[in-house]
Amino acid sequence: MADKSTKYEENVEGKFYVDTQCISCDACCTSAPSNFKMNDEEGHAFVATQPRTPEEEAQCKEAMEGCPVEAIGNDGP
């Protein structure tokens, strides 16, 4: 389970975030390309844009559920 105390600083403010467990697999960027981006230099993903539509919200939840190391968190509404 993701831990907001270890989330990356690049994450924009909001309920979804990526923490330091990320292994740079790119699955979240594939599931929710409008919301997740990769920091290629440091080798991890981060939330670049919080979901703005129900479709993006669903994609972010799909990314969270599909994360192999549970590095994506959701702090609720």
Side-chain angles (χ1 to χ4, degrees):
M1 174 176 267
D3 180 357
K4 69 179 180 179
S5 70
T6 63
K7 68 183 180 180
Y8 287 109
E9 290 186 18
E10 293 108 315
N11 291 294
V12 295
E13 192 69 29
K15 65 182 178 178
F16 287 99
Y17 61 89
V18 178
D19 76 4
T20 58
Q21 297 178 89
C22 179
I23 59 171
S24 191
C25 72
D26 201 36
C28 58
C29 296
T30 301
S31 295
S34 297
N35 306 97
F36 291 89
K37 302 294 179 210
M38 293 300 297
N39 177 327
D40 292 323
E41 287 182 20
E42 295 182 20
H44 64 81
F46 63 95
V47 177
T49 306
Q50 293 291 331
R52 296 166 289 204
T53 65
E55 180 182 24
E56 285 183 359
E57 178 89 17
Q59 290 172 344
C60 287
K61 288 179 180 177
E62 178 183 323
M64 186 174 71
E65 291 167 3
C67 180
V69 293
E70 298 182 353
I72 301 170
N74 178 351
D75 281 348

